[in-house]
PDB file of all heavy atoms in Angstrom:
ATOM      1  N   LYS U   1      74.856   4.545  15.535  1.00  0.00           N
ATOM      2  CA  LYS U   1      76.073   5.198  15.068  1.00  0.00           C
ATOM      3  C   LYS U   1      76.659   4.537  13.823  1.00  0.00           C
ATOM      4  O   LYS U   1      77.522   5.108  13.157  1.00  0.00           O
ATOM      5  CB  LYS U   1      77.120   5.203  16.178  1.00  0.00           C
ATOM      6  CG  LYS U   1      76.754   6.074  17.369  1.00  0.00           C
ATOM      7  CD  LYS U   1      77.827   5.999  18.426  1.00  0.00           C
ATOM      8  CE  LYS U   1      77.479   6.886  19.621  1.00  0.00           C
ATOM      9  NZ  LYS U   1      78.497   6.786  20.705  1.00  0.00           N
ATOM     10  N   GLN U   2      76.206   3.326  13.523  1.00  0.00           N
ATOM     11  CA  GLN U   2      76.741   2.586  12.385  1.00  0.00           C
ATOM     12  C   GLN U   2      75.974   2.846  11.090  1.00  0.00           C
ATOM     13  O   GLN U   2      76.297   2.280  10.050  1.00  0.00           O
ATOM     14  CB  GLN U   2      76.744   1.077  12.685  1.00  0.00           C
ATOM     15  CG  GLN U   2      77.661   0.688  13.849  1.00  0.00           C
ATOM     16  CD  GLN U   2      77.555  -0.796  14.164  1.00  0.00           C
ATOM     17  OE1 GLN U   2      76.720  -1.229  14.937  1.00  0.00           O
ATOM     18  NE2 GLN U   2      78.384  -1.580  13.531  1.00  0.00           N
ATOM     19  N   LEU U   3      74.967   3.721  11.146  1.00  0.00           N
ATOM     20  CA  LEU U   3      74.093   3.924  10.001  1.00  0.00           C
ATOM     21  C   LEU U   3      74.605   4.981   9.011  1.00  0.00           C
ATOM     22  O   LEU U   3      73.901   5.326   8.073  1.00  0.00           O
ATOM     23  CB  LEU U   3      72.683   4.303  10.485  1.00  0.00           C
ATOM     24  CG  LEU U   3      71.945   3.202  11.259  1.00  0.00           C
ATOM     25  CD1 LEU U   3      70.595   3.722  11.749  1.00  0.00           C
ATOM     26  CD2 LEU U   3      71.745   1.960  10.395  1.00  0.00           C
ATOM     27  N   LYS U   4      75.800   5.501   9.251  1.00  0.00           N
ATOM     28  CA  LYS U   4      76.426   6.471   8.340  1.00  0.00           C
ATOM     29  C   LYS U   4      75.518   7.684   8.096  1.00  0.00           C
ATOM     30  O   LYS U   4      75.255   8.095   6.959  1.00  0.00           O
ATOM     31  CB  LYS U   4      76.803   5.795   7.018  1.00  0.00           C
ATOM     32  CG  LYS U   4      77.674   4.559   7.209  1.00  0.00           C
ATOM     33  CD  LYS U   4      78.174   3.979   5.928  1.00  0.00           C
ATOM     34  CE  LYS U   4      78.922   2.666   6.159  1.00  0.00           C
ATOM     35  NZ  LYS U   4      80.100   2.819   7.074  1.00  0.00           N
ATOM     36  N   LEU U   5      75.023   8.233   9.203  1.00  0.00           N
ATOM     37  CA  LEU U   5      74.081   9.345   9.150  1.00  0.00           C
ATOM     38  C   LEU U   5      74.778  10.661   8.808  1.00  0.00           C
ATOM     39  O   LEU U   5      75.858  10.950   9.312  1.00  0.00           O
ATOM     40  CB  LEU U   5      73.359   9.493  10.497  1.00  0.00           C
ATOM     41  CG  LEU U   5      72.525   8.296  10.972  1.00  0.00           C
ATOM     42  CD1 LEU U   5      72.051   8.525  12.401  1.00  0.00           C
ATOM     43  CD2 LEU U   5      71.343   8.057  10.065  1.00  0.00           C
ATOM     44  N   THR U   6      74.133  11.450   7.962  1.00  0.00           N
ATOM     45  CA  THR U   6      74.585  12.812   7.735  1.00  0.00           C
ATOM     46  C   THR U   6      74.182  13.661   8.937  1.00  0.00           C
ATOM     47  O   THR U   6      73.367  13.243   9.767  1.00  0.00           O
ATOM     48  CB  THR U   6      73.947  13.401   6.468  1.00  0.00           C
ATOM     49  OG1 THR U   6      72.518  13.494   6.671  1.00  0.00           O
ATOM     50  CG2 THR U   6      74.244  12.533   5.248  1.00  0.00           C
ATOM     51  N   LYS U   7      74.738  14.856   9.040  1.00  0.00           N
ATOM     52  CA  LYS U   7      74.386  15.744  10.144  1.00  0.00           C
ATOM     53  C   LYS U   7      72.895  16.059  10.137  1.00  0.00           C
ATOM     54  O   LYS U   7      72.242  16.077  11.186  1.00  0.00           O
ATOM     55  CB  LYS U   7      75.196  17.048  10.045  1.00  0.00           C
ATOM     56  CG  LYS U   7      74.995  17.972  11.254  1.00  0.00           C
ATOM     57  CD  LYS U   7      75.874  19.200  11.156  1.00  0.00           C
ATOM     58  CE  LYS U   7      75.657  20.115  12.371  1.00  0.00           C
ATOM     59  NZ  LYS U   7      76.519  21.338  12.284  1.00  0.00           N
ATOM     60  N   ALA U   8      72.337  16.280   8.943  1.00  0.00           N
ATOM     61  CA  ALA U   8      70.908  16.577   8.815  1.00  0.00           C
ATOM     62  C   ALA U   8      70.057  15.399   9.288  1.00  0.00           C
ATOM     63  O   ALA U   8      69.034  15.585   9.958  1.00  0.00           O
ATOM     64  CB  ALA U   8      70.567  16.924   7.366  1.00  0.00           C
ATOM     65  N   SER U   9      70.488  14.186   8.963  1.00  0.00           N
ATOM     66  CA  SER U   9      69.748  12.992   9.372  1.00  0.00           C
ATOM     67  C   SER U   9      69.806  12.801  10.879  1.00  0.00           C
ATOM     68  O   SER U   9      68.809  12.434  11.511  1.00  0.00           O
ATOM     69  CB  SER U   9      70.300  11.760   8.657  1.00  0.00           C
ATOM     70  OG  SER U   9      70.082  11.850   7.267  1.00  0.00           O
ATOM     71  N   LYS U  10      70.980  13.038  11.479  1.00  0.00           N
ATOM     72  CA  LYS U  10      71.111  12.947  12.937  1.00  0.00           C
ATOM     73  C   LYS U  10      70.152  13.913  13.617  1.00  0.00           C
ATOM     74  O   LYS U  10      69.473  13.552  14.586  1.00  0.00           O
ATOM     75  CB  LYS U  10      72.542  13.258  13.364  1.00  0.00           C
ATOM     76  CG  LYS U  10      73.559  12.180  13.023  1.00  0.00           C
ATOM     77  CD  LYS U  10      74.953  12.606  13.462  1.00  0.00           C
ATOM     78  CE  LYS U  10      75.992  11.564  13.058  1.00  0.00           C
ATOM     79  NZ  LYS U  10      77.376  12.002  13.431  1.00  0.00           N
ATOM     80  N   ASN U  11      70.100  15.134  13.099  1.00  0.00           N
ATOM     81  CA  ASN U  11      69.222  16.151  13.679  1.00  0.00           C
ATOM     82  C   ASN U  11      67.754  15.765  13.531  1.00  0.00           C
ATOM     83  O   ASN U  11      66.935  16.014  14.432  1.00  0.00           O
ATOM     84  CB  ASN U  11      69.479  17.509  13.027  1.00  0.00           C
ATOM     85  CG  ASN U  11      70.830  18.084  13.406  1.00  0.00           C
ATOM     86  OD1 ASN U  11      71.413  17.720  14.432  1.00  0.00           O
ATOM     87  ND2 ASN U  11      71.339  19.002  12.589  1.00  0.00           N
ATOM     88  N   LYS U  12      67.414  15.160  12.407  1.00  0.00           N
ATOM     89  CA  LYS U  12      66.027  14.752  12.182  1.00  0.00           C
ATOM     90  C   LYS U  12      65.620  13.650  13.159  1.00  0.00           C
ATOM     91  O   LYS U  12      64.521  13.671  13.713  1.00  0.00           O
ATOM     92  CB  LYS U  12      65.831  14.277  10.740  1.00  0.00           C
ATOM     93  CG  LYS U  12      64.363  14.053  10.379  1.00  0.00           C
ATOM     94  CD  LYS U  12      64.181  13.782   8.897  1.00  0.00           C
ATOM     95  CE  LYS U  12      62.699  13.582   8.565  1.00  0.00           C
ATOM     96  NZ  LYS U  12      62.499  13.320   7.108  1.00  0.00           N
ATOM     97  N   HIS U  13      66.511  12.682  13.375  1.00  0.00           N
ATOM     98  CA  HIS U  13      66.255  11.635  14.366  1.00  0.00           C
ATOM     99  C   HIS U  13      66.010  12.255  15.749  1.00  0.00           C
ATOM    100  O   HIS U  13      65.056  11.893  16.447  1.00  0.00           O
ATOM    101  CB  HIS U  13      67.443  10.675  14.445  1.00  0.00           C
ATOM    102  CG  HIS U  13      67.387   9.541  13.475  1.00  0.00           C
ATOM    103  ND1 HIS U  13      66.546   8.459  13.644  1.00  0.00           N
ATOM    104  CD2 HIS U  13      68.075   9.315  12.327  1.00  0.00           C
ATOM    105  CE1 HIS U  13      66.729   7.607  12.637  1.00  0.00           C
ATOM    106  NE2 HIS U  13      67.643   8.102  11.829  1.00  0.00           N
ATOM    107  N   LYS U  14      66.897  13.160  16.125  1.00  0.00           N
ATOM    108  CA  LYS U  14      66.793  13.819  17.434  1.00  0.00           C
ATOM    109  C   LYS U  14      65.477  14.584  17.569  1.00  0.00           C
ATOM    110  O   LYS U  14      64.814  14.530  18.612  1.00  0.00           O
ATOM    111  CB  LYS U  14      67.985  14.769  17.635  1.00  0.00           C
ATOM    112  CG  LYS U  14      69.295  14.080  17.963  1.00  0.00           C
ATOM    113  CD  LYS U  14      69.337  13.648  19.419  1.00  0.00           C
ATOM    114  CE  LYS U  14      70.720  13.174  19.822  1.00  0.00           C
ATOM    115  NZ  LYS U  14      70.718  12.665  21.248  1.00  0.00           N
ATOM    116  N   ALA U  15      65.108  15.286  16.514  1.00  0.00           N
ATOM    117  CA  ALA U  15      63.879  16.081  16.539  1.00  0.00           C
ATOM    118  C   ALA U  15      62.643  15.188  16.671  1.00  0.00           C
ATOM    119  O   ALA U  15      61.714  15.498  17.432  1.00  0.00           O
ATOM    120  CB  ALA U  15      63.787  16.939  15.274  1.00  0.00           C
ATOM    121  N   LEU U  16      62.627  14.075  15.931  1.00  0.00           N
ATOM    122  CA  LEU U  16      61.499  13.146  16.007  1.00  0.00           C
ATOM    123  C   LEU U  16      61.418  12.502  17.389  1.00  0.00           C
ATOM    124  O   LEU U  16      60.340  12.354  17.962  1.00  0.00           O
ATOM    125  CB  LEU U  16      61.620  12.067  14.930  1.00  0.00           C
ATOM    126  CG  LEU U  16      61.310  12.499  13.492  1.00  0.00           C
ATOM    127  CD1 LEU U  16      61.633  11.361  12.512  1.00  0.00           C
ATOM    128  CD2 LEU U  16      59.849  12.914  13.352  1.00  0.00           C
ATOM    129  N   GLU U  17      62.574  12.105  17.910  1.00  0.00           N
ATOM    130  CA  GLU U  17      62.625  11.512  19.246  1.00  0.00           C
ATOM    131  C   GLU U  17      62.054  12.478  20.282  1.00  0.00           C
ATOM    132  O   GLU U  17      61.211  12.102  21.114  1.00  0.00           O
ATOM    133  CB  GLU U  17      64.073  11.147  19.592  1.00  0.00           C
ATOM    134  CG  GLU U  17      64.271  10.592  20.996  1.00  0.00           C
ATOM    135  CD  GLU U  17      65.733  10.400  21.325  1.00  0.00           C
ATOM    136  OE1 GLU U  17      66.528  11.365  21.139  1.00  0.00           O
ATOM    137  OE2 GLU U  17      66.101   9.299  21.761  1.00  0.00           O
ATOM    138  N   LYS U  18      62.495  13.730  20.231  1.00  0.00           N
ATOM    139  CA  LYS U  18      62.033  14.746  21.178  1.00  0.00           C
ATOM    140  C   LYS U  18      60.535  14.983  21.040  1.00  0.00           C
ATOM    141  O   LYS U  18      59.822  15.120  22.048  1.00  0.00           O
ATOM    142  CB  LYS U  18      62.805  16.050  20.960  1.00  0.00           C
ATOM    143  CG  LYS U  18      62.534  17.109  22.022  1.00  0.00           C
ATOM    144  CD  LYS U  18      63.429  18.318  21.814  1.00  0.00           C
ATOM    145  CE  LYS U  18      63.179  19.367  22.910  1.00  0.00           C
ATOM    146  NZ  LYS U  18      64.071  20.549  22.724  1.00  0.00           N
ATOM    147  N   LYS U  19      60.044  15.019  19.807  1.00  0.00           N
ATOM    148  CA  LYS U  19      58.619  15.272  19.564  1.00  0.00           C
ATOM    149  C   LYS U  19      57.769  14.137  20.136  1.00  0.00           C
ATOM    150  O   LYS U  19      56.731  14.380  20.766  1.00  0.00           O
ATOM    151  CB  LYS U  19      58.360  15.436  18.066  1.00  0.00           C
ATOM    152  CG  LYS U  19      56.981  16.007  17.745  1.00  0.00           C
ATOM    153  CD  LYS U  19      56.870  16.336  16.263  1.00  0.00           C
ATOM    154  CE  LYS U  19      55.496  16.977  15.972  1.00  0.00           C
ATOM    155  NZ  LYS U  19      55.358  17.321  14.542  1.00  0.00           N
ATOM    156  N   VAL U  20      58.198  12.903  19.908  1.00  0.00           N
ATOM    157  CA  VAL U  20      57.467  11.745  20.437  1.00  0.00           C
ATOM    158  C   VAL U  20      57.451  11.771  21.958  1.00  0.00           C
ATOM    159  O   VAL U  20      56.399  11.645  22.592  1.00  0.00           O
ATOM    160  CB  VAL U  20      58.093  10.426  19.921  1.00  0.00           C
ATOM    161  CG1 VAL U  20      57.601   9.238  20.745  1.00  0.00           C
ATOM    162  CG2 VAL U  20      57.768  10.216  18.448  1.00  0.00           C
ATOM    163  N   ILE U  21      58.615  11.940  22.547  1.00  0.00           N
ATOM    164  CA  ILE U  21      58.738  11.873  24.001  1.00  0.00           C
ATOM    165  C   ILE U  21      57.968  13.003  24.690  1.00  0.00           C
ATOM    166  O   ILE U  21      57.415  12.815  25.777  1.00  0.00           O
ATOM    167  CB  ILE U  21      60.234  11.883  24.406  1.00  0.00           C
ATOM    168  CG1 ILE U  21      60.885  10.562  23.998  1.00  0.00           C
ATOM    169  CG2 ILE U  21      60.402  12.094  25.899  1.00  0.00           C
ATOM    170  CD1 ILE U  21      62.383  10.529  24.192  1.00  0.00           C
ATOM    171  N   ASN U  22      57.877  14.147  24.059  1.00  0.00           N
ATOM    172  CA  ASN U  22      57.186  15.281  24.675  1.00  0.00           C
ATOM    173  C   ASN U  22      55.683  15.311  24.404  1.00  0.00           C
ATOM    174  O   ASN U  22      54.964  16.096  25.029  1.00  0.00           O
ATOM    175  CB  ASN U  22      57.815  16.599  24.223  1.00  0.00           C
ATOM    176  CG  ASN U  22      59.080  16.928  24.994  1.00  0.00           C
ATOM    177  OD1 ASN U  22      59.033  17.356  26.136  1.00  0.00           O
ATOM    178  ND2 ASN U  22      60.225  16.699  24.358  1.00  0.00           N
ATOM    179  N   ASN U  23      55.213  14.466  23.496  1.00  0.00           N
ATOM    180  CA  ASN U  23      53.785  14.463  23.187  1.00  0.00           C
ATOM    181  C   ASN U  23      53.049  13.236  23.717  1.00  0.00           C
ATOM    182  O   ASN U  23      51.822  13.267  23.841  1.00  0.00           O
ATOM    183  CB  ASN U  23      53.566  14.590  21.681  1.00  0.00           C
ATOM    184  CG  ASN U  23      53.723  16.030  21.193  1.00  0.00           C
ATOM    185  OD1 ASN U  23      52.807  16.849  21.254  1.00  0.00           O
ATOM    186  ND2 ASN U  23      54.928  16.349  20.714  1.00  0.00           N
ATOM    187  N   ALA U  24      53.771  12.188  24.012  1.00  0.00           N
ATOM    188  CA  ALA U  24      53.145  11.022  24.632  1.00  0.00           C
ATOM    189  C   ALA U  24      52.680  11.388  26.038  1.00  0.00           C
ATOM    190  O   ALA U  24      53.337  12.145  26.752  1.00  0.00           O
ATOM    191  CB  ALA U  24      54.127   9.857  24.676  1.00  0.00           C
ATOM    192  N   ASP U  25      51.526  10.851  26.446  1.00  0.00           N
ATOM    193  CA  ASP U  25      51.017  11.131  27.790  1.00  0.00           C
ATOM    194  C   ASP U  25      51.854  10.434  28.860  1.00  0.00           C
ATOM    195  O   ASP U  25      52.065  10.971  29.941  1.00  0.00           O
ATOM    196  CB  ASP U  25      49.554  10.676  27.897  1.00  0.00           C
ATOM    197  CG  ASP U  25      48.644  11.488  26.995  1.00  0.00           C
ATOM    198  OD1 ASP U  25      48.399  12.663  27.310  1.00  0.00           O
ATOM    199  OD2 ASP U  25      48.196  10.946  25.962  1.00  0.00           O
ATOM    200  N   LYS U  26      52.311   9.226  28.545  1.00  0.00           N
ATOM    201  CA  LYS U  26      53.189   8.486  29.445  1.00  0.00           C
ATOM    202  C   LYS U  26      54.235   7.762  28.608  1.00  0.00           C
ATOM    203  O   LYS U  26      53.982   7.379  27.465  1.00  0.00           O
ATOM    204  CB  LYS U  26      52.400   7.461  30.279  1.00  0.00           C
ATOM    205  CG  LYS U  26      51.456   8.054  31.316  1.00  0.00           C
ATOM    206  CD  LYS U  26      50.859   6.946  32.181  1.00  0.00           C
ATOM    207  CE  LYS U  26      49.926   7.526  33.262  1.00  0.00           C
ATOM    208  NZ  LYS U  26      48.662   7.986  32.683  1.00  0.00           N
ATOM    209  N   ILE U  27      55.391   7.589  29.198  1.00  0.00           N
ATOM    210  CA  ILE U  27      56.481   6.892  28.523  1.00  0.00           C
ATOM    211  C   ILE U  27      56.908   5.712  29.387  1.00  0.00           C
ATOM    212  O   ILE U  27      57.083   5.848  30.597  1.00  0.00           O
ATOM    213  CB  ILE U  27      57.677   7.834  28.287  1.00  0.00           C
ATOM    214  CG1 ILE U  27      57.247   9.011  27.401  1.00  0.00           C
ATOM    215  CG2 ILE U  27      58.854   7.089  27.653  1.00  0.00           C
ATOM    216  CD1 ILE U  27      58.023  10.253  27.651  1.00  0.00           C
ATOM    217  N   ILE U  28      57.069   4.560  28.749  1.00  0.00           N
ATOM    218  CA  ILE U  28      57.581   3.372  29.430  1.00  0.00           C
ATOM    219  C   ILE U  28      58.947   3.040  28.850  1.00  0.00           C
ATOM    220  O   ILE U  28      59.137   3.038  27.633  1.00  0.00           O
ATOM    221  CB  ILE U  28      56.641   2.155  29.256  1.00  0.00           C
ATOM    222  CG1 ILE U  28      55.251   2.456  29.810  1.00  0.00           C
ATOM    223  CG2 ILE U  28      57.231   0.933  29.961  1.00  0.00           C
ATOM    224  CD1 ILE U  28      54.244   1.339  29.529  1.00  0.00           C
ATOM    225  N   VAL U  29      59.899   2.764  29.716  1.00  0.00           N
ATOM    226  CA  VAL U  29      61.222   2.317  29.294  1.00  0.00           C
ATOM    227  C   VAL U  29      61.557   1.031  30.035  1.00  0.00           C
ATOM    228  O   VAL U  29      60.899   0.669  31.012  1.00  0.00           O
ATOM    229  CB  VAL U  29      62.298   3.394  29.552  1.00  0.00           C
ATOM    230  CG1 VAL U  29      62.037   4.629  28.716  1.00  0.00           C
ATOM    231  CG2 VAL U  29      62.360   3.758  31.040  1.00  0.00           C
ATOM    232  N   THR U  30      62.586   0.346  29.577  1.00  0.00           N
ATOM    233  CA  THR U  30      62.918  -0.952  30.168  1.00  0.00           C
ATOM    234  C   THR U  30      64.099  -0.907  31.114  1.00  0.00           C
ATOM    235  O   THR U  30      64.470  -1.931  31.680  1.00  0.00           O
ATOM    236  CB  THR U  30      63.212  -1.989  29.057  1.00  0.00           C
ATOM    237  OG1 THR U  30      64.283  -1.510  28.242  1.00  0.00           O
ATOM    238  CG2 THR U  30      61.975  -2.232  28.188  1.00  0.00           C
ATOM    239  N   SER U  31      64.696   0.280  31.305  1.00  0.00           N
ATOM    240  CA  SER U  31      65.861   0.358  32.189  1.00  0.00           C
ATOM    241  C   SER U  31      65.948   1.721  32.870  1.00  0.00           C
ATOM    242  O   SER U  31      65.500   2.729  32.313  1.00  0.00           O
ATOM    243  CB  SER U  31      67.149   0.101  31.398  1.00  0.00           C
ATOM    244  OG  SER U  31      67.475   1.231  30.598  1.00  0.00           O
ATOM    245  N   PRO U  32      66.549   1.772  34.058  1.00  0.00           N
ATOM    246  CA  PRO U  32      66.739   3.051  34.751  1.00  0.00           C
ATOM    247  C   PRO U  32      67.593   4.038  33.962  1.00  0.00           C
ATOM    248  O   PRO U  32      67.352   5.249  34.009  1.00  0.00           O
ATOM    249  CB  PRO U  32      67.435   2.635  36.058  1.00  0.00           C
ATOM    250  CG  PRO U  32      67.045   1.208  36.273  1.00  0.00           C
ATOM    251  CD  PRO U  32      66.956   0.617  34.890  1.00  0.00           C
ATOM    252  N   SER U  33      68.603   3.540  33.230  1.00  0.00           N
ATOM    253  CA  SER U  33      69.479   4.440  32.475  1.00  0.00           C
ATOM    254  C   SER U  33      68.729   5.157  31.358  1.00  0.00           C
ATOM    255  O   SER U  33      68.956   6.340  31.100  1.00  0.00           O
ATOM    256  CB  SER U  33      70.671   3.670  31.898  1.00  0.00           C
ATOM    257  OG  SER U  33      71.551   3.254  32.912  1.00  0.00           O
ATOM    258  N   THR U  34      67.823   4.435  30.689  1.00  0.00           N
ATOM    259  CA  THR U  34      67.016   5.075  29.651  1.00  0.00           C
ATOM    260  C   THR U  34      66.080   6.113  30.257  1.00  0.00           C
ATOM    261  O   THR U  34      65.849   7.175  29.684  1.00  0.00           O
ATOM    262  CB  THR U  34      66.208   4.024  28.859  1.00  0.00           C
ATOM    263  OG1 THR U  34      67.088   3.029  28.331  1.00  0.00           O
ATOM    264  CG2 THR U  34      65.459   4.680  27.698  1.00  0.00           C
ATOM    265  N   LYS U  35      65.545   5.818  31.434  1.00  0.00           N
ATOM    266  CA  LYS U  35      64.701   6.786  32.127  1.00  0.00           C
ATOM    267  C   LYS U  35      65.483   8.076  32.393  1.00  0.00           C
ATOM    268  O   LYS U  35      64.980   9.182  32.126  1.00  0.00           O
ATOM    269  CB  LYS U  35      64.175   6.212  33.440  1.00  0.00           C
ATOM    270  CG  LYS U  35      63.304   7.203  34.214  1.00  0.00           C
ATOM    271  CD  LYS U  35      62.800   6.627  35.528  1.00  0.00           C
ATOM    272  CE  LYS U  35      61.931   7.658  36.255  1.00  0.00           C
ATOM    273  NZ  LYS U  35      61.419   7.162  37.556  1.00  0.00           N
ATOM    274  N   THR U  36      66.696   7.934  32.904  1.00  0.00           N
ATOM    275  CA  THR U  36      67.542   9.097  33.177  1.00  0.00           C
ATOM    276  C   THR U  36      67.819   9.881  31.890  1.00  0.00           C
ATOM    277  O   THR U  36      67.779  11.112  31.877  1.00  0.00           O
ATOM    278  CB  THR U  36      68.863   8.656  33.829  1.00  0.00           C
ATOM    279  OG1 THR U  36      68.582   7.964  35.049  1.00  0.00           O
ATOM    280  CG2 THR U  36      69.749   9.859  34.138  1.00  0.00           C
ATOM    281  N   GLU U  37      68.113   9.162  30.813  1.00  0.00           N
ATOM    282  CA  GLU U  37      68.383   9.800  29.520  1.00  0.00           C
ATOM    283  C   GLU U  37      67.176  10.615  29.049  1.00  0.00           C
ATOM    284  O   GLU U  37      67.305  11.779  28.665  1.00  0.00           O
ATOM    285  CB  GLU U  37      68.717   8.733  28.480  1.00  0.00           C
ATOM    286  CG  GLU U  37      68.893   9.286  27.062  1.00  0.00           C
ATOM    287  CD  GLU U  37      68.883   8.194  26.008  1.00  0.00           C
ATOM    288  OE1 GLU U  37      69.200   7.037  26.343  1.00  0.00           O
ATOM    289  OE2 GLU U  37      68.540   8.492  24.838  1.00  0.00           O
ATOM    290  N   PHE U  38      65.992  10.019  29.095  1.00  0.00           N
ATOM    291  CA  PHE U  38      64.787  10.685  28.611  1.00  0.00           C
ATOM    292  C   PHE U  38      64.367  11.842  29.509  1.00  0.00           C
ATOM    293  O   PHE U  38      63.746  12.804  29.043  1.00  0.00           O
ATOM    294  CB  PHE U  38      63.648   9.680  28.471  1.00  0.00           C
ATOM    295  CG  PHE U  38      63.747   8.797  27.247  1.00  0.00           C
ATOM    296  CD1 PHE U  38      64.806   8.903  26.375  1.00  0.00           C
ATOM    297  CD2 PHE U  38      62.762   7.860  26.963  1.00  0.00           C
ATOM    298  CE1 PHE U  38      64.911   8.091  25.247  1.00  0.00           C
ATOM    299  CE2 PHE U  38      62.840   7.044  25.842  1.00  0.00           C
ATOM    300  CZ  PHE U  38      63.924   7.162  24.986  1.00  0.00           C
ATOM    301  N   GLU U  39      64.682  11.763  30.795  1.00  0.00           N
ATOM    302  CA  GLU U  39      64.340  12.860  31.709  1.00  0.00           C
ATOM    303  C   GLU U  39      65.082  14.141  31.347  1.00  0.00           C
ATOM    304  O   GLU U  39      64.672  15.226  31.746  1.00  0.00           O
ATOM    305  CB  GLU U  39      64.638  12.442  33.156  1.00  0.00           C
ATOM    306  CG  GLU U  39      63.577  11.493  33.732  1.00  0.00           C
ATOM    307  CD  GLU U  39      63.928  10.973  35.121  1.00  0.00           C
ATOM    308  OE1 GLU U  39      65.129  11.021  35.493  1.00  0.00           O
ATOM    309  OE2 GLU U  39      63.023  10.497  35.836  1.00  0.00           O
TER     310      GLU U  39
END
């Protein structure tokens, strides 16, 4: 949130995150809260 992102940049981050998470065969996270977020 401190990176002074434009709306377009925020959307691009979100899109890349979604693409990675949906194309990886398995995802490893380090905490239960992140697991819930990604689910």
